[in-house]
Amino acid sequence: MISTAVLLAVLGAALLHAAWNAMVKSRADPMIGIAWLSVGSGVAAGMALPFVAVPGAAAWPFLLVSAAIHTVYNLLLATAYSHGDFSRVYPIARGGAPLIVTLVSLAFLAEELSDRSLAAIGLILLAILGVAWRRASERRAASPGPAGDRSLVFACLTAVAIAGYTIADGLGARATGDAVPYILWLFFIDAWPTILIVMWMRRGRFLATPRGDVARGVAGGLLSMLAYGIVVWAMVSAPVAVVAALRESSILFAALIGVFVLKERPGPVRIAAIVLLVAAVALLRLS
């Protein structure tokens, strides 16, 4: 059973996650946005490293694998946002990951989940599909052609990357026994490949970013580090699959951001899915 503290912490992390994703999507070039986000998280983590222990040898294989996957994830996410809407890419990317994590956890991590937990995870996945549903009018209004297909492909690939680093970090945090050093070292290591790759891809455009966009990107980096740090901390004391599924309540917050910030108008299917998502999270809390 998940404690109330863990539940509230992961829900808070979900809100922060939806917020920084919206910040990246709102940039004219999401690829540059994700790079400045990496600057913020990398510098903040680096400043904190002298005050934490170096993770033990058992954690480093997971750290290095996760850092590599995070770099791929950053590039895939920015590319998906370049080709698709926030309300479509985010649910697909975040929604596909719990299914993959659950299957891997049950098959290879020897985790045991109650029938109620499995039912809650299934309801969360069903709700995510509903949130991602587009009305016929929305489909007609969408631009035809390969761009829409690319957004779907990159969103699905992003889901695979999310599942990969979720599993690696859950095992890594358990191996080191202390989530805080693991998280800080992870964000410090994985920031720089993303920054260097985007600097090469965008060359002079990266350094020419307006100060306001730089400030928002760095702030987003701090939010992302805090959000993921909470999740990895939760995985130390709760099943990886359950935490991963609960974190996907960020889609609820993303829907609210879409309505009140991006001025989107969800249809009845999406509204029903949001209600189902809230009920599924409550069921997961009682598991």
Side-chain angles (χ1 to χ4, degrees), residues 204-236:
R205 292 171 54 194
F206 174 74
L207 297 178
T209 306
R211 290 184 179 180
D213 287 349
V214 171
R216 284 188 288 271
V218 171
L222 298 178
L223 292 181
S224 70
M225 185 169 66
L226 177 60
Y228 197 62
I230 293 171
V231 168
V232 175
W233 165 79
M235 288 179 180
V236 174

PDB file of all heavy atoms in Angstrom, residues 204-236:
ATOM      1  N   GLY A 204      24.521  28.478 -34.121  1.00  0.00           N
ATOM      2  CA  GLY A 204      24.419  29.823 -33.562  1.00  0.00           C
ATOM      3  C   GLY A 204      23.074  30.161 -32.962  1.00  0.00           C
ATOM      4  O   GLY A 204      22.967  31.062 -32.128  1.00  0.00           O
ATOM      5  N   ARG A 205      22.033  29.458 -33.333  1.00  0.00           N
ATOM      6  CA  ARG A 205      20.691  29.781 -32.838  1.00  0.00           C
ATOM      7  C   ARG A 205      20.558  29.501 -31.351  1.00  0.00           C
ATOM      8  O   ARG A 205      19.784  30.166 -30.647  1.00  0.00           O
ATOM      9  CB  ARG A 205      19.645  28.993 -33.617  1.00  0.00           C
ATOM     10  CG  ARG A 205      19.522  29.412 -35.086  1.00  0.00           C
ATOM     11  CD  ARG A 205      18.626  28.455 -35.854  1.00  0.00           C
ATOM     12  NE  ARG A 205      17.330  28.295 -35.215  1.00  0.00           N
ATOM     13  CZ  ARG A 205      16.473  27.322 -35.519  1.00  0.00           C
ATOM     14  NH1 ARG A 205      16.791  26.414 -36.436  1.00  0.00           N
ATOM     15  NH2 ARG A 205      15.312  27.246 -34.916  1.00  0.00           N
ATOM     16  N   PHE A 206      21.278  28.536 -30.843  1.00  0.00           N
ATOM     17  CA  PHE A 206      21.173  28.199 -29.421  1.00  0.00           C
ATOM     18  C   PHE A 206      21.670  29.353 -28.558  1.00  0.00           C
ATOM     19  O   PHE A 206      20.992  29.783 -27.618  1.00  0.00           O
ATOM     20  CB  PHE A 206      21.978  26.928 -29.135  1.00  0.00           C
ATOM     21  CG  PHE A 206      22.042  26.572 -27.671  1.00  0.00           C
ATOM     22  CD1 PHE A 206      20.949  26.042 -27.021  1.00  0.00           C
ATOM     23  CD2 PHE A 206      23.212  26.776 -26.949  1.00  0.00           C
ATOM     24  CE1 PHE A 206      20.996  25.714 -25.675  1.00  0.00           C
ATOM     25  CE2 PHE A 206      23.273  26.450 -25.599  1.00  0.00           C
ATOM     26  CZ  PHE A 206      22.166  25.926 -24.963  1.00  0.00           C
ATOM     27  N   LEU A 207      22.840  29.901 -28.868  1.00  0.00           N
ATOM     28  CA  LEU A 207      23.406  30.987 -28.077  1.00  0.00           C
ATOM     29  C   LEU A 207      22.688  32.308 -28.310  1.00  0.00           C
ATOM     30  O   LEU A 207      22.827  33.234 -27.515  1.00  0.00           O
ATOM     31  CB  LEU A 207      24.898  31.131 -28.391  1.00  0.00           C
ATOM     32  CG  LEU A 207      25.775  29.922 -28.023  1.00  0.00           C
ATOM     33  CD1 LEU A 207      27.219  30.172 -28.416  1.00  0.00           C
ATOM     34  CD2 LEU A 207      25.672  29.628 -26.528  1.00  0.00           C
ATOM     35  N   ALA A 208      21.916  32.392 -29.396  1.00  0.00           N
ATOM     36  CA  ALA A 208      21.170  33.618 -29.691  1.00  0.00           C
ATOM     37  C   ALA A 208      19.771  33.612 -29.069  1.00  0.00           C
ATOM     38  O   ALA A 208      18.964  34.498 -29.358  1.00  0.00           O
ATOM     39  CB  ALA A 208      21.061  33.800 -31.205  1.00  0.00           C
ATOM     40  N   THR A 209      19.478  32.644 -28.223  1.00  0.00           N
ATOM     41  CA  THR A 209      18.161  32.556 -27.589  1.00  0.00           C
ATOM     42  C   THR A 209      17.895  33.803 -26.745  1.00  0.00           C
ATOM     43  O   THR A 209      18.759  34.223 -25.969  1.00  0.00           O
ATOM     44  CB  THR A 209      18.087  31.311 -26.681  1.00  0.00           C
ATOM     45  OG1 THR A 209      18.434  30.158 -27.440  1.00  0.00           O
ATOM     46  CG2 THR A 209      16.684  31.141 -26.113  1.00  0.00           C
ATOM     47  N   PRO A 210      16.708  34.423 -26.864  1.00  0.00           N
ATOM     48  CA  PRO A 210      16.376  35.593 -26.035  1.00  0.00           C
ATOM     49  C   PRO A 210      16.470  35.271 -24.547  1.00  0.00           C
ATOM     50  O   PRO A 210      16.231  34.146 -24.116  1.00  0.00           O
ATOM     51  CB  PRO A 210      14.936  35.917 -26.442  1.00  0.00           C
ATOM     52  CG  PRO A 210      14.795  35.348 -27.819  1.00  0.00           C
ATOM     53  CD  PRO A 210      15.638  34.108 -27.835  1.00  0.00           C
ATOM     54  N   ARG A 211      16.805  36.295 -23.746  1.00  0.00           N
ATOM     55  CA  ARG A 211      17.010  36.088 -22.316  1.00  0.00           C
ATOM     56  C   ARG A 211      15.767  35.518 -21.630  1.00  0.00           C
ATOM     57  O   ARG A 211      15.876  34.695 -20.722  1.00  0.00           O
ATOM     58  CB  ARG A 211      17.400  37.409 -21.657  1.00  0.00           C
ATOM     59  CG  ARG A 211      18.807  37.892 -22.037  1.00  0.00           C
ATOM     60  CD  ARG A 211      19.147  39.157 -21.264  1.00  0.00           C
ATOM     61  NE  ARG A 211      20.490  39.624 -21.589  1.00  0.00           N
ATOM     62  CZ  ARG A 211      21.057  40.711 -21.062  1.00  0.00           C
ATOM     63  NH1 ARG A 211      20.355  41.431 -20.168  1.00  0.00           N
ATOM     64  NH2 ARG A 211      22.271  41.068 -21.397  1.00  0.00           N
ATOM     65  N   GLY A 212      14.594  35.993 -22.053  1.00  0.00           N
ATOM     66  CA  GLY A 212      13.371  35.489 -21.437  1.00  0.00           C
ATOM     67  C   GLY A 212      13.201  34.001 -21.647  1.00  0.00           C
ATOM     68  O   GLY A 212      12.808  33.270 -20.728  1.00  0.00           O
ATOM     69  N   ASP A 213      13.501  33.524 -22.861  1.00  0.00           N
ATOM     70  CA  ASP A 213      13.392  32.095 -23.148  1.00  0.00           C
ATOM     71  C   ASP A 213      14.447  31.301 -22.379  1.00  0.00           C
ATOM     72  O   ASP A 213      14.192  30.177 -21.939  1.00  0.00           O
ATOM     73  CB  ASP A 213      13.542  31.841 -24.646  1.00  0.00           C
ATOM     74  CG  ASP A 213      12.317  32.276 -25.428  1.00  0.00           C
ATOM     75  OD1 ASP A 213      11.292  32.578 -24.789  1.00  0.00           O
ATOM     76  OD2 ASP A 213      12.384  32.312 -26.670  1.00  0.00           O
ATOM     77  N   VAL A 214      15.630  31.890 -22.220  1.00  0.00           N
ATOM     78  CA  VAL A 214      16.675  31.227 -21.442  1.00  0.00           C
ATOM     79  C   VAL A 214      16.220  31.061 -19.998  1.00  0.00           C
ATOM     80  O   VAL A 214      16.351  29.983 -19.405  1.00  0.00           O
ATOM     81  CB  VAL A 214      17.992  32.032 -21.494  1.00  0.00           C
ATOM     82  CG1 VAL A 214      19.012  31.460 -20.500  1.00  0.00           C
ATOM     83  CG2 VAL A 214      18.573  32.002 -22.901  1.00  0.00           C
ATOM     84  N   ALA A 215      15.667  32.137 -19.423  1.00  0.00           N
ATOM     85  CA  ALA A 215      15.217  32.086 -18.030  1.00  0.00           C
ATOM     86  C   ALA A 215      14.121  31.040 -17.854  1.00  0.00           C
ATOM     87  O   ALA A 215      14.127  30.266 -16.878  1.00  0.00           O
ATOM     88  CB  ALA A 215      14.715  33.461 -17.595  1.00  0.00           C
ATOM     89  N   ARG A 216      13.161  30.991 -18.797  1.00  0.00           N
ATOM     90  CA  ARG A 216      12.084  30.007 -18.692  1.00  0.00           C
ATOM     91  C   ARG A 216      12.621  28.594 -18.860  1.00  0.00           C
ATOM     92  O   ARG A 216      12.162  27.658 -18.189  1.00  0.00           O
ATOM     93  CB  ARG A 216      11.008  30.306 -19.730  1.00  0.00           C
ATOM     94  CG  ARG A 216      10.114  31.491 -19.356  1.00  0.00           C
ATOM     95  CD  ARG A 216       8.952  31.624 -20.320  1.00  0.00           C
ATOM     96  NE  ARG A 216       9.402  32.109 -21.629  1.00  0.00           N
ATOM     97  CZ  ARG A 216       9.486  33.388 -21.949  1.00  0.00           C
ATOM     98  NH1 ARG A 216       9.173  34.320 -21.069  1.00  0.00           N
ATOM     99  NH2 ARG A 216       9.881  33.755 -23.162  1.00  0.00           N
ATOM    100  N   GLY A 217      13.594  28.422 -19.760  1.00  0.00           N
ATOM    101  CA  GLY A 217      14.168  27.099 -19.948  1.00  0.00           C
ATOM    102  C   GLY A 217      14.908  26.609 -18.717  1.00  0.00           C
ATOM    103  O   GLY A 217      14.759  25.454 -18.297  1.00  0.00           O
ATOM    104  N   VAL A 218      15.704  27.499 -18.105  1.00  0.00           N
ATOM    105  CA  VAL A 218      16.437  27.127 -16.897  1.00  0.00           C
ATOM    106  C   VAL A 218      15.469  26.812 -15.761  1.00  0.00           C
ATOM    107  O   VAL A 218      15.658  25.847 -15.008  1.00  0.00           O
ATOM    108  CB  VAL A 218      17.407  28.256 -16.498  1.00  0.00           C
ATOM    109  CG1 VAL A 218      18.017  27.983 -15.131  1.00  0.00           C
ATOM    110  CG2 VAL A 218      18.516  28.380 -17.548  1.00  0.00           C
ATOM    111  N   ALA A 219      14.406  27.621 -15.631  1.00  0.00           N
ATOM    112  CA  ALA A 219      13.394  27.347 -14.601  1.00  0.00           C
ATOM    113  C   ALA A 219      12.739  25.993 -14.841  1.00  0.00           C
ATOM    114  O   ALA A 219      12.479  25.229 -13.895  1.00  0.00           O
ATOM    115  CB  ALA A 219      12.344  28.459 -14.596  1.00  0.00           C
ATOM    116  N   GLY A 220      12.465  25.676 -16.107  1.00  0.00           N
ATOM    117  CA  GLY A 220      11.900  24.371 -16.432  1.00  0.00           C
ATOM    118  C   GLY A 220      12.829  23.238 -16.044  1.00  0.00           C
ATOM    119  O   GLY A 220      12.383  22.170 -15.616  1.00  0.00           O
ATOM    120  N   GLY A 221      14.129  23.466 -16.190  1.00  0.00           N
ATOM    121  CA  GLY A 221      15.102  22.452 -15.783  1.00  0.00           C
ATOM    122  C   GLY A 221      15.046  22.170 -14.299  1.00  0.00           C
ATOM    123  O   GLY A 221      15.134  21.009 -13.865  1.00  0.00           O
ATOM    124  N   LEU A 222      14.879  23.227 -13.496  1.00  0.00           N
ATOM    125  CA  LEU A 222      14.764  23.042 -12.052  1.00  0.00           C
ATOM    126  C   LEU A 222      13.493  22.276 -11.705  1.00  0.00           C
ATOM    127  O   LEU A 222      13.496  21.400 -10.829  1.00  0.00           O
ATOM    128  CB  LEU A 222      14.779  24.402 -11.356  1.00  0.00           C
ATOM    129  CG  LEU A 222      16.056  25.232 -11.543  1.00  0.00           C
ATOM    130  CD1 LEU A 222      15.919  26.578 -10.850  1.00  0.00           C
ATOM    131  CD2 LEU A 222      17.275  24.485 -11.039  1.00  0.00           C
ATOM    132  N   LEU A 223      12.397  22.594 -12.401  1.00  0.00           N
ATOM    133  CA  LEU A 223      11.143  21.875 -12.165  1.00  0.00           C
ATOM    134  C   LEU A 223      11.280  20.406 -12.540  1.00  0.00           C
ATOM    135  O   LEU A 223      10.786  19.525 -11.824  1.00  0.00           O
ATOM    136  CB  LEU A 223      10.012  22.511 -12.971  1.00  0.00           C
ATOM    137  CG  LEU A 223       9.562  23.917 -12.565  1.00  0.00           C
ATOM    138  CD1 LEU A 223       8.424  24.382 -13.465  1.00  0.00           C
ATOM    139  CD2 LEU A 223       9.144  23.962 -11.113  1.00  0.00           C
ATOM    140  N   SER A 224      11.946  20.135 -13.660  1.00  0.00           N
ATOM    141  CA  SER A 224      12.076  18.744 -14.104  1.00  0.00           C
ATOM    142  C   SER A 224      12.914  17.932 -13.134  1.00  0.00           C
ATOM    143  O   SER A 224      12.601  16.768 -12.842  1.00  0.00           O
ATOM    144  CB  SER A 224      12.694  18.698 -15.509  1.00  0.00           C
ATOM    145  OG  SER A 224      14.061  19.069 -15.488  1.00  0.00           O
ATOM    146  N   MET A 225      13.977  18.538 -12.606  1.00  0.00           N
ATOM    147  CA  MET A 225      14.822  17.825 -11.652  1.00  0.00           C
ATOM    148  C   MET A 225      14.064  17.528 -10.367  1.00  0.00           C
ATOM    149  O   MET A 225      14.137  16.418  -9.834  1.00  0.00           O
ATOM    150  CB  MET A 225      16.084  18.642 -11.349  1.00  0.00           C
ATOM    151  CG  MET A 225      17.081  17.911 -10.464  1.00  0.00           C
ATOM    152  SD  MET A 225      18.693  18.730 -10.370  1.00  0.00           S
ATOM    153  CE  MET A 225      18.243  20.243  -9.519  1.00  0.00           C
ATOM    154  N   LEU A 226      13.320  18.506  -9.880  1.00  0.00           N
ATOM    155  CA  LEU A 226      12.537  18.297  -8.663  1.00  0.00           C
ATOM    156  C   LEU A 226      11.468  17.230  -8.879  1.00  0.00           C
ATOM    157  O   LEU A 226      11.283  16.339  -8.044  1.00  0.00           O
ATOM    158  CB  LEU A 226      11.897  19.613  -8.231  1.00  0.00           C
ATOM    159  CG  LEU A 226      10.980  19.554  -7.001  1.00  0.00           C
ATOM    160  CD1 LEU A 226      11.753  19.061  -5.786  1.00  0.00           C
ATOM    161  CD2 LEU A 226      10.370  20.924  -6.728  1.00  0.00           C
ATOM    162  N   ALA A 227      10.774  17.305 -10.019  1.00  0.00           N
ATOM    163  CA  ALA A 227       9.699  16.353 -10.304  1.00  0.00           C
ATOM    164  C   ALA A 227      10.232  14.928 -10.389  1.00  0.00           C
ATOM    165  O   ALA A 227       9.670  14.006  -9.778  1.00  0.00           O
ATOM    166  CB  ALA A 227       8.990  16.729 -11.606  1.00  0.00           C
ATOM    167  N   TYR A 228      11.320  14.745 -11.123  1.00  0.00           N
ATOM    168  CA  TYR A 228      11.824  13.378 -11.275  1.00  0.00           C
ATOM    169  C   TYR A 228      12.497  12.882 -10.006  1.00  0.00           C
ATOM    170  O   TYR A 228      12.442  11.695  -9.691  1.00  0.00           O
ATOM    171  CB  TYR A 228      12.781  13.284 -12.461  1.00  0.00           C
ATOM    172  CG  TYR A 228      12.989  11.854 -12.880  1.00  0.00           C
ATOM    173  CD1 TYR A 228      11.918  11.097 -13.343  1.00  0.00           C
ATOM    174  CD2 TYR A 228      14.229  11.241 -12.777  1.00  0.00           C
ATOM    175  CE1 TYR A 228      12.082   9.764 -13.697  1.00  0.00           C
ATOM    176  CE2 TYR A 228      14.399   9.916 -13.145  1.00  0.00           C
ATOM    177  CZ  TYR A 228      13.325   9.188 -13.600  1.00  0.00           C
ATOM    178  OH  TYR A 228      13.496   7.873 -13.948  1.00  0.00           O
ATOM    179  N   GLY A 229      13.115  13.807  -9.261  1.00  0.00           N
ATOM    180  CA  GLY A 229      13.713  13.411  -7.995  1.00  0.00           C
ATOM    181  C   GLY A 229      12.685  12.834  -7.040  1.00  0.00           C
ATOM    182  O   GLY A 229      12.929  11.839  -6.354  1.00  0.00           O
ATOM    183  N   ILE A 230      11.508  13.450  -6.990  1.00  0.00           N
ATOM    184  CA  ILE A 230      10.432  12.947  -6.135  1.00  0.00           C
ATOM    185  C   ILE A 230      10.025  11.541  -6.558  1.00  0.00           C
ATOM    186  O   ILE A 230       9.818  10.654  -5.728  1.00  0.00           O
ATOM    187  CB  ILE A 230       9.226  13.905  -6.181  1.00  0.00           C
ATOM    188  CG1 ILE A 230       9.582  15.240  -5.520  1.00  0.00           C
ATOM    189  CG2 ILE A 230       8.015  13.279  -5.498  1.00  0.00           C
ATOM    190  CD1 ILE A 230       8.524  16.306  -5.710  1.00  0.00           C
ATOM    191  N   VAL A 231       9.943  11.323  -7.876  1.00  0.00           N
ATOM    192  CA  VAL A 231       9.517  10.022  -8.380  1.00  0.00           C
ATOM    193  C   VAL A 231      10.530   8.933  -8.035  1.00  0.00           C
ATOM    194  O   VAL A 231      10.166   7.838  -7.576  1.00  0.00           O
ATOM    195  CB  VAL A 231       9.284  10.087  -9.904  1.00  0.00           C
ATOM    196  CG1 VAL A 231       9.120   8.688 -10.488  1.00  0.00           C
ATOM    197  CG2 VAL A 231       8.054  10.929 -10.216  1.00  0.00           C
ATOM    198  N   VAL A 232      11.817   9.210  -8.252  1.00  0.00           N
ATOM    199  CA  VAL A 232      12.839   8.210  -7.952  1.00  0.00           C
ATOM    200  C   VAL A 232      12.877   7.930  -6.454  1.00  0.00           C
ATOM    201  O   VAL A 232      13.025   6.781  -6.025  1.00  0.00           O
ATOM    202  CB  VAL A 232      14.219   8.681  -8.461  1.00  0.00           C
ATOM    203  CG1 VAL A 232      15.312   7.706  -8.042  1.00  0.00           C
ATOM    204  CG2 VAL A 232      14.208   8.801  -9.980  1.00  0.00           C
ATOM    205  N   TRP A 233      12.708   8.972  -5.634  1.00  0.00           N
ATOM    206  CA  TRP A 233      12.629   8.778  -4.183  1.00  0.00           C
ATOM    207  C   TRP A 233      11.478   7.846  -3.835  1.00  0.00           C
ATOM    208  O   TRP A 233      11.611   6.957  -2.981  1.00  0.00           O
ATOM    209  CB  TRP A 233      12.459  10.130  -3.496  1.00  0.00           C
ATOM    210  CG  TRP A 233      12.012  10.025  -2.077  1.00  0.00           C
ATOM    211  CD1 TRP A 233      12.777   9.732  -0.984  1.00  0.00           C
ATOM    212  CD2 TRP A 233      10.665  10.187  -1.591  1.00  0.00           C
ATOM    213  NE1 TRP A 233      11.994   9.707   0.152  1.00  0.00           N
ATOM    214  CE2 TRP A 233      10.697   9.985  -0.185  1.00  0.00           C
ATOM    215  CE3 TRP A 233       9.451  10.499  -2.198  1.00  0.00           C
ATOM    216  CZ2 TRP A 233       9.550  10.073   0.596  1.00  0.00           C
ATOM    217  CZ3 TRP A 233       8.305  10.586  -1.415  1.00  0.00           C
ATOM    218  CH2 TRP A 233       8.368  10.373  -0.031  1.00  0.00           C
ATOM    219  N   ALA A 234      10.329   8.029  -4.468  1.00  0.00           N
ATOM    220  CA  ALA A 234       9.163   7.205  -4.185  1.00  0.00           C
ATOM    221  C   ALA A 234       9.404   5.754  -4.571  1.00  0.00           C
ATOM    222  O   ALA A 234       8.889   4.834  -3.920  1.00  0.00           O
ATOM    223  CB  ALA A 234       7.938   7.747  -4.919  1.00  0.00           C
ATOM    224  N   MET A 235      10.190   5.535  -5.624  1.00  0.00           N
ATOM    225  CA  MET A 235      10.434   4.174  -6.084  1.00  0.00           C
ATOM    226  C   MET A 235      11.267   3.356  -5.102  1.00  0.00           C
ATOM    227  O   MET A 235      11.296   2.132  -5.185  1.00  0.00           O
ATOM    228  CB  MET A 235      11.137   4.201  -7.446  1.00  0.00           C
ATOM    229  CG  MET A 235      10.244   4.625  -8.588  1.00  0.00           C
ATOM    230  SD  MET A 235      11.158   4.662 -10.150  1.00  0.00           S
ATOM    231  CE  MET A 235       9.847   5.183 -11.263  1.00  0.00           C
ATOM    232  N   VAL A 236      11.956   4.034  -4.189  1.00  0.00           N
ATOM    233  CA  VAL A 236      12.752   3.311  -3.203  1.00  0.00           C
ATOM    234  C   VAL A 236      11.855   2.535  -2.246  1.00  0.00           C
ATOM    235  O   VAL A 236      12.202   1.443  -1.787  1.00  0.00           O
ATOM    236  CB  VAL A 236      13.661   4.293  -2.428  1.00  0.00           C
ATOM    237  CG1 VAL A 236      14.397   3.579  -1.296  1.00  0.00           C
ATOM    238  CG2 VAL A 236      14.656   4.941  -3.375  1.00  0.00           C
TER     239      VAL A 236
END
